[in-house]
Structure formats: structure tokens, C-alpha cells
């Protein structure tokens, strides 16, 4: 192991997609600081259910999927409103 060579260092930072904006701002600012110090940062936003906190890697106990492409809500937490359209309900 040689310490003479400066090898590029990459660190991965994962943040939940439901993280508050100020946290994202701080992480982004930190990534900029590290980049200035020669450390490249890979920001990884983990899609997280805003209700129960499950992710793609850690689904709910009975399994779940995302209710839509854009909404961070899983089928376990979605209100049971996906019934067929009818005039009276
Ligand atoms: Zn959920
Ligand atoms: Zn879930």
C-alpha cells in the first residue's frame, strides 16, 4: 500500500427522496466542498415512501410498489381509492 500516490477518492452519499429541501441543500453544499478538496461525491437519491419510509431495497413486509411514477407513496400506504369508476360509491 503506497501513500505517495493520490488516488481519486469517491464517496457515495445516499439521501432519501423525502428529505427536506434544506437537508438536500446542505448535502449538495458539502459535496461541492469535497469536490474542491479533490473528493468526488456521488449523490444517490433513494426513492422513499413518504408515509412508511420503505424503499426499492426495503419494501413493505407484504411487498409493495409505487402508486405512480412521480409520487413517493407505496401501494401499502395508498388510500384504497383504486376502485373501478362508478357513479355512486
Ligand atoms: Zn409506504
Ligand atoms: Zn411500502
Amino acid at each position: 500500500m503506497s501513500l505517495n500516490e493520490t488516488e481519486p477518492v469517491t464517496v457515495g452519499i445516499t439521501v432519501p427522496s423525502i428529505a427536506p429541501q434544506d437537508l438536500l441543500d446542505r448535502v449538495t453544499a458539502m459535496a461541492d466542498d469535497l469536490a474542491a478538496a479533490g473528493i468526488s461525491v456521488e449523490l444517490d437519491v433513494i426513492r422513499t415512501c413518504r408515509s412508511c419510509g420503505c424503499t426499492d431495497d426495503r419494501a413493505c413486509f407484504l411487498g409493495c410498489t409505487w402508486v405512480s411514477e412521480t409520487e413517493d407513496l407505496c401501494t401499502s400506504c395508498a388510500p384504497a381509492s383504486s376502485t373501478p369508476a362508478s357513479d355512486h360509491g
Side-chain angles (χ1 to χ4, degrees), residues 59-64 76:
C60 288
F61 181 65
L62 296 175
C64 63
S76 294

Side-chain angles (χ1 to χ4, degrees), residues 1 9 14-15 18-20 25 36-37 40 42 48 56-57 60 65-66 68 71-72 76 79 89:
M1 187 171 180
V9 179
T14 56
V15 291
I18 55 172
D25 287 345
S40 65
E42 287 183 1
T48 308
D56 280 328
D57 283 342
C60 288
T65 184
W66 302 111
S68 78
E71 207 166 358
D72 293 331
S76 294

Side-chain angles (χ1 to χ4, degrees), residues 3-89:
L3 295 175
N4 293 330
E5 296 177 30
T6 52
E7 294 185 19
V9 179
T10 303
V11 295
I13 299 178
T14 56
V15 291
S17 59
I18 55 172
Q21 186 60 47
D22 67 322
L23 176 67
L24 293 175
D25 287 345
R26 269 195 272 173
V27 171
T28 305
M30 188 176 71
D32 285 345
D33 285 348
L34 290 174
I39 300 173
S40 65
V41 177
E42 287 183 1
L43 268 184
D44 221 355
V45 178
I46 304 295
R47 199 175 183 187
T48 308
C49 176
R50 66 166 182 256
S51 180
C52 70
C54 71
T55 66
D56 280 328
D57 283 342
R58 286 178 164 270
C60 288
F61 181 65
L62 296 175
C64 63
T65 184
W66 302 111
V67 293
S68 78
E69 281 298 312
T70 53
E71 207 166 358
D72 293 331
L73 189 70
C74 80
T75 48
S76 294
C77 302
S81 62
S82 57
T83 51
S86 64
D87 290 338
H88 303 285

